[in-house]
Amino acid sequence: MTSWKENAREVVPYTPGEQPKTKVIKLNTNENPYPPSPLVGKAISNIQLDSLRKYPDPGCSILISALAKYHGFNEENVFVGVGSDDVLAMSFLTFFNSKKPIFFPDITYSFYDVWADLFRIPYETKALDKDFKIVASDYSGECGGIVIPNPNAPTGVAEPVEFFENIVAAHPECVVIIDEAYVDFGSKSCVDLVRKYDNVLVVRTFSKSRSMAGNRIGYAIGSKELIKYLSDCKFSFNSYTMDTITLAVGVASIEDNAYFKEKVDAVIKTREWTKGELTKLGFTFPDSMSNFIFAKHESVKATYIFEELKKRGIYVRYFSKPERISDYLRISIGTDDEMQEFINELSNIIKGV
Ligand SMILES: *Cc1c(COP(=O)(O)O)cnc(C)c1O
């Protein structure tokens, strides 16, 4: 007799950053250190208890409409999901069905290969160059799809829109996904490519720049046809992805643009200050356009710094693989006070070696 295990889908899951239960300085999962807009709080208190009795709107129309208006697109160009992880997973399922491999960088968001394995999508990773830049020519061959974050994670390196336009234009045979999880922190968005090309999907999230990782809101902007395909797959899997409360708070966040800008600017300012301090302490890093810095010390090992920081209640992220990044730490940007304390402790650790 064969075992049921032979017919089970076996995968190695994505490992999310730690969510410690005790109070720590948490610089390990790129969350925003500021709370969401006060309008989000108001939207939560305005929820009528009775409204939860009913299923939410499966078409998510209030949120889609707010996002369409915000980006200057039609509603049929917008798709929403349970965080961008959900949007990305659904996009992989919808668009990456070729026998040819999909392409993505070797150092990138570590969920891409997990989804590829889960959905049995063949893939090829393309090595970043020594400065952690994406090599455009690596993406020229015919393929089953392309997914690239811009800025890339965990490096923080951003490429200009023309860089992506060249890739999109060269690949009418597949869908190119640009994962803009960190684009609000100072780099240029590729959303306007959607007006010109029907094979590009730009994916965004409320988790980082909008301080709403706890709510799970992600979305995609693409051609009407692309969004229709995505939507049909979603409705074949789970009609009610977005709950009533989440739809309301998503709209509230979009409506408070002044607050959003203020907090994003604060994070950028703190990031630039942190870059200066890290340099003084002997760290090097690719220039980050995101809400984190991917840094390496000239002499002290990343694992040592990681453990010492943890003992002091400061959490950063460490990736042991691939080998090439095993001496780097990914440091999310916190408040000014948090980063000051981080730098103080870091300085003690390095001086104490
Ligand atoms: C954080 C992150 C996501 C996922 O964000 P959620 O919207 O919280 O699911 C996707 N892509 C990249 C590159 C990220 O860093």
Side-chain angles (χ1 to χ4, degrees):
M1 287 289 266
T2 55
S3 157
W4 57 267
K5 287 184 184 166
E6 286 177 34
N7 295 311
R9 198 167 284 248
E10 193 177 9
V11 284
V12 181
Y14 170 77
T15 319
E18 255 182 282
Q19 293 293 356
K21 300 282 185 294
T22 49
K23 198 165 160 35
V24 298
I25 294 185
K26 200 171 169 303
L27 311 176
N28 69 336
T29 51
N30 298 342
E31 287 144 338
N32 198 306
Y34 303 106
S37 156
L39 293 192
V40 168
K42 276 206 190 108
I44 295 174
S45 20
N46 287 343
I47 295 285
Q48 298 290 314
L49 195 56
D50 185 62
S51 72
L52 298 183
R53 194 169 51 75
K54 295 183 285 180
Y55 280 105
D57 168 20
C60 307
S61 61
I62 57 169
L63 183 56
I64 285 184
S65 156
L67 287 166
K69 198 163 141 226
Y70 178 76
H71 285 289
F73 279 89
N74 293 323
E75 288 163 22
E76 55 209 7
N77 295 115
V78 183
F79 174 86
V80 296
V82 188
S84 56
D85 284 343
D86 179 46
V87 176
L88 287 161
M90 199 47 73
S91 305
F92 273 47
L93 182 67
T94 308
F95 302 116
F96 296 164
N97 293 289
S98 167
K99 297 237 173 350
K100 294 210 172 74
I102 62 165
F103 296 163
F104 50 86
D106 65 336
I107 298 167
T108 195
Y109 188 38
S110 51
F111 225 139
Y112 299 154
D113 59 347
V114 175
W115 288 314
D117 286 338
L118 176 65
F119 298 134
R120 300 182 182 161
I121 301 164
Y123 65 91
E124 259 174 41
T125 58
K126 305 289 180 181
L128 300 183
D129 73 11
K130 62 170 188 9
D131 299 318
F132 291 149
K133 305 258 307 162
I134 296 165
V135 182
S137 57
D138 285 348
Y139 295 83
S140 59
E142 212 173 291
C143 62
I146 292 173
V147 54
I148 301 177
N150 193 47
N152 194 10
T155 62
V157 177
E159 297 294 343
V161 176
E162 306 80 73
F163 176 95
F164 289 96
E165 175 155 16
N166 290 337
I167 293 177
V168 171
H171 286 284
E173 86 288 4
C174 72
V175 172
V176 178
I177 300 176
I178 305 167
D179 180 353
E180 294 192 336
Y182 302 101
V183 77
D184 290 323
F185 298 104
S187 62
K188 274 276 205 193
S189 171
C190 288
V191 281
D192 283 333
L193 295 182
V194 169
R195 302 182 203 282
K196 206 165 150 192
Y197 302 92
D198 69 356
N199 64 323
V200 60
L201 192 73
V202 176
V203 176
R204 296 279 201 108
T205 175
F206 280 46
S207 298
K208 280 77 184 225
S209 57
R210 293 191 176 273
S211 309
M212 289 167 77
N215 258 116
R216 316 305 301 130
I217 306 175
Y219 62 102
I221 301 202
S223 64
K224 180 178 162 186
E225 220 180 355
L226 227 54
I227 297 299
K228 167 84 166 70
Y229 271 71
L230 200 46
S231 213
D232 285 349
C233 277
K234 170 208 135 156
F235 280 109
S236 310
F237 187 74
N238 178 3
S239 313
Y240 303 108
T241 48
M242 312 300 284
D243 66 77
T244 301
I245 300 171
T246 299
L247 290 173
V249 296
V251 172
S253 169
I254 294 291
E255 280 171 354
D256 199 349
N257 209 37
Y259 180 91
F260 166 71
K261 281 217 160 77
E262 179 191 316
K263 294 308 179 217
V264 162
D265 286 347
V267 170
I268 294 173
K269 203 164 153 237
T270 310
R271 175 188 74 203
E272 295 307 309
W273 176 84
T274 308
K275 284 179 185 171
E277 296 300 310
L278 285 173
T279 305
K280 284 188 222 162
L281 290 175
F283 283 88
T284 51
F285 42 84
D287 195 28
S288 172
M289 294 297 267
S290 57
N291 68 338
F292 55 82
I293 299 170
F294 195 54
K296 174 189 167 136
H297 193 261
E298 58 195 1
S299 57
V300 187
K301 283 218 154 314
T303 44
Y304 176 77
I305 300 174
F306 175 84
E307 291 303 335
E308 287 298 313
L309 281 169
K310 198 165 174 176
K311 281 186 208 159
R312 293 160 161 84
I314 301 173
Y315 282 52
V316 297
R317 190 88 192 260
Y318 173 73
F319 301 95
S320 58
K321 278 189 286 191
E323 180 72 35
R324 200 142 72 98
I325 60 166
S326 65
D327 249 324
Y328 283 80
L329 294 170
R330 193 194 67 189
I331 304 145
S332 308
I333 301 302
T335 60
D336 284 339
D337 287 351
E338 287 174 327
M339 296 321 278
Q340 183 66 63
E341 193 170 336
F342 162 72
I343 291 292
N344 294 348
E345 292 299 341
L346 194 57
S347 170
N348 292 339
I349 292 166
I350 285 161
K351 284 182 191 136
V353 175

